[in-house]
Amino acid sequence: MPATTMEQLVSLCKRRGFIFQNADIYGGFQGLYDFGPLGVELKNNLKNAWWRAMVYERDDVEGLDSAILTHRKVLHYSGHEDTFSDPMVDCKDCKCRMRADTLKDGKCTECGSTNLTEIRQFNLMFKTNVGPVVNEESYGYLRPETAQGIFINFKNVVDSTSRKVPFGIAQIGKSFRNEITPRNFIFRVREFEQMELEFFVKPGTDEEWHEKWKEARLKWWEEQGVPAEHIVAKPIPKEDLAHYSKATYDICYEFPHGLEELEGIADHTDYDLANHTKNQDEFKINAHVHDKNVDSTSKLALYDEEAKEWFIPFVIEPSAGVERGVLAVLTEAYTEEALENGTTRIVLKLKKHLAPIKVAVIPLKRNNEAIMNMAHKIKTDLLKLGIGRVALEDSGNIGKAYRRHDEVGTPICVTVDFDSIEQEPASVTIRDRDTMKQTRVNLADLPNYIREYFA
Ligand code: GAP
């Protein structure tokens, strides 16, 4: 079968309720998407898998959920006010506006004209007024990354947990960027979620940790069904590095529209903590200071008991986009299979922990009370296992129900039929999404079977 196309994914996502264009009843709001009944489950499952790997399974990471609205001084001292921009150009002929780095041979991407304006910088942050008074100082920003919320809470977390390096702070949450040209479905959007870890280390150990985190993140993507052979960890050339970075890997994935960034893993040095620190002159700072900090009331530093001095930790930052993760996972899972009877089925071969619906319980006849009662009871019992969503699928047509659940990636269907209610001991049919194999299981053994399957 050919590689998955964006059209196939967009169509499946809309048809089955994964992802919708935002405000489509008003013609659509560009660069914004809504996650539907199954999309929200898939997205939550991916975020939970990240949180579990980062916070629960490690002993050196704490979690955080900081505010989205961000103090202007935070984004001033972080450098975002001055540097978080993309080069923009307008086409004087077709009036379209685009990122200058997307021009093809210096020509407009829409009409091919070379009649373009000068390139100018466009800041990507959304500015908003905060509070009832509107004046020169009353504005803040919707955060363009979750990372700054972590840096400004560094001391709060250290003081409340007594952490020493190496340790990390993890956060998942919304970020906003006024992208000049949002495109490629949910790949480049204006409102998205990030899964970011800031891992603080002793200066001098940063290069070793940078490599360790690259390996850990590649392994994690593999566990989500995005195999290493479809990923390239690209070291960014020195001359292209962001101003805060000493070294960066772009984890690039073969998306339907091309090889593009899924996650960035940067060695940030001491740039962020140093820039948010008061009395910066007291410290040996490796990164450049963006603007001498005259506003911070805190030093974001740790005391080195051996050297008997304060130091500003370096930070390694694995930063992944949730939407890009969802797109990668869907691209890998989408499969069209030719069946023996000459038809084709679409099946979403998601890893079972990511599947939006874990088990569909299908009563063969919805107007048979005994069958319906048994199906309801099975649903309630399986739900108690805590495996995630268990759905009662009583649309009536068993063949259609199997196809629907293949398309949305439900790993297991449990069918309740006449034998289930008439024969002793009671039993049900279990159908496997990938092999389509059906097995008869005693009702009494079902919870254990399902528990072990999802363990
Ligand atoms: N704190 C570092 C940081 O924000 P970034 O490379 O700008 O680094 C990290 O963003 C990740 O966030 C990217 O690898 C990508 O997955 C996701 N991302 C960034 N901009 C995005 C956008 N406009 N739409 C969707 N995802 C985006």
Side-chain angles (χ1 to χ4, degrees):
M1 281 293 157
T4 310
T5 65
M6 199 67 102
E7 289 70 32
Q8 287 169 320
L9 292 183
V10 174
S11 160
L12 176 83
C13 285
K14 172 138 205 236
R15 190 169 71 245
R16 292 301 186 192
F18 281 90
I19 300 164
F20 309 124
Q21 167 70 61
N22 174 261
D24 58 352
I25 62 166
Y26 290 107
F29 202 12
Q30 218 202 345
L32 296 165
Y33 286 88
D34 298 332
F35 282 76
L38 298 183
V40 63
E41 299 288 344
L42 173 57
K43 188 151 91 119
N44 283 342
N45 291 341
L46 189 68
K47 290 191 286 180
N48 288 341
W50 186 91
W51 194 260
R52 193 187 161 86
M54 287 298 186
V55 185
Y56 293 178
E57 288 175 5
R58 299 184 65 98
D59 299 315
D60 53 4
V61 175
E62 302 284 352
L64 182 80
D65 184 14
S66 69
I68 288 173
L69 277 175
T70 305
H71 197 298
R72 63 194 173 81
K73 284 184 183 163
V74 172
L75 293 162
H76 172 74
Y77 287 110
S78 67
H80 284 81
E81 271 193 333
D82 295 333
T83 60
F84 197 65
S85 48
D86 276 342
M88 184 172 72
V89 71
D90 287 353
C91 173
K92 292 185 190 163
D93 289 339
C94 75
K95 309 290 176 219
C96 92
R97 185 162 272 187
M98 66 220 106
R99 260 174 50 183
D101 55 353
T102 60
L103 293 178
K104 298 220 167 49
D105 301 328
K107 292 181 185 155
C108 169
T109 50
E110 294 300 312
C111 71
S113 165
T114 50
N115 190 13
L116 307 171
T117 61
E118 288 291 306
I119 295 173
R120 61 211 184 278
Q121 290 299 319
F122 174 74
N123 194 293
L124 301 183
M125 289 199 294
F126 285 99
K127 206 172 187 178
T128 186
N129 199 67
V130 183
V133 179
V134 180
N135 63 31
E136 287 278 285
E137 308 233 307
S138 64
Y139 65 90
Y141 296 100
L142 295 185
R143 65 183 178 201
E145 59 172 14
T146 67
Q148 293 307 318
I150 297 180
F151 296 126
I152 59 169
N153 277 293
F154 174 78
K155 194 159 183 330
N156 292 330
V157 175
V158 167
D159 288 351
S160 56
T161 63
S162 308
R163 286 287 184 184
K164 296 189 169 37
V165 284
F167 85 99
I169 305 177
Q171 169 156 237
I172 300 177
K174 290 266 185 181
S175 292
F176 302 81
R177 296 183 189 180
N178 197 4
E179 296 285 354
I180 300 166
T181 38
R183 60 180 57 192
N184 295 318
F185 192 31
I186 55 169
F187 178 82
R188 187 177 303 286
V189 282
R190 292 185 168 134
E191 174 178 334
F192 55 99
E193 284 189 89
Q194 288 182 310
M195 307 184 280
E196 295 200 291
L197 173 73
E198 305 303 327
F199 196 78
F200 304 100
V201 302
K202 213 161 181 189
T205 63
D206 51 307
E207 289 177 13
E208 186 191 328
W209 275 107
H210 195 208
E211 289 305 310
K212 276 193 200 167
W213 274 111
K214 181 191 76 174
E215 294 309 319
R217 296 301 302 144
L218 290 175
K219 183 166 168 280
W220 186 82
W221 281 113
E222 182 115 38
E223 287 161 6
Q224 311 318 308
V226 185
E229 61 263 30
H230 294 167
I231 285 189
V232 185
K234 265 208 255 176
I236 301 299
K238 282 260 174 294
E239 61 276 18
D240 296 339
L241 285 173
H243 59 281
Y244 52 73
S245 170
K246 171 177 160 186
T248 295
Y249 285 112
D250 271 359
I251 304 291
C252 294
Y253 170 70
E254 199 62 72
F255 286 100
H257 63 280
L259 187 70
E260 291 229 46
E261 181 185 334
L262 170 64
E263 169 164 355
I265 307 178
D267 180 340
H268 267 235
T269 68
D270 50 3
Y271 177 84
D272 301 270
L273 293 184
N275 274 285
H276 290 304
T277 282
K278 73 167 181 178
N279 300 342
Q280 290 154 327
D281 300 340
E282 283 178 20
F283 299 95
K284 281 184 224 142
I285 294 176
N286 290 270
H288 75 277
V289 170
H290 175 70
D291 189 5
K292 190 173 167 59
N293 200 320
V294 292
D295 293 304
S296 172
T297 58
S298 189
K299 49 185 183 189
L300 306 183
L302 296 174
Y303 190 68
D304 183 335
E305 300 284 351
E306 274 173 29
K308 304 268 179 272
E309 62 178 10
W310 288 88
F311 71 98
I312 298 184
F314 272 34
V315 63
I316 306 299
E317 181 194 65
S319 170
V322 177
E323 281 71 6
R324 290 189 192 179
V326 167
L327 191 57
V329 159
L330 285 172
T331 306
E332 288 296 327
Y334 186 96
T335 317
E336 284 187 10
E337 262 180 20
L339 300 177
E340 277 172 10
N341 65 7
T343 61
T344 315
R345 73 163 181 155
I346 295 173
V347 52
L348 215 47
K349 295 193 171 177
L350 292 168
K351 291 276 178 188
K352 49 195 174 188
H353 69 281
L354 294 179
I357 299 173
K358 304 295 184 219
V359 179
V361 183
I362 310 177
L364 197 64
K365 278 260 174 282
R366 65 178 155 186
N367 52 7
N368 182 302
E369 206 182 331
I371 288 183
M372 283 309 288
N373 286 346
M374 185 180 280
H376 276 292
K377 180 155 182 345
I378 291 174
K379 181 201 154 144
T380 313
D381 288 347
L382 295 185
L383 209 51
K384 288 183 194 149
L385 301 177
I387 52 170
R389 188 167 174 200
V390 178
L392 188 82
E393 173 68 61
D394 61 351
S395 54
N397 179 321
I398 184 89
K400 279 195 184 153
Y402 285 157
R403 286 290 165 274
R404 178 181 132 74
H405 283 282
D406 285 346
E407 274 200 30
V408 304
T410 308
I412 298 265
C413 288
V414 173
T415 306
V416 183
D417 55 22
F418 287 101
D419 283 352
S420 308
I421 53 165
E422 285 165 3
Q423 293 191 357
E424 283 292 334
S427 62
V428 288
T429 299
I430 287 181
R431 177 186 180 272
D432 180 276
R433 175 195 71 196
D434 297 341
T435 62
M436 294 189 287
K437 220 175 108 196
Q438 303 194 12
T439 358
R440 202 76 190 171
V441 171
N442 280 349
L443 192 53
D445 299 332
L446 184 66
N448 262 346
Y449 180 99
I450 299 291
R451 189 185 291 113
E452 271 167 32
Y453 182 88
F454 287 100

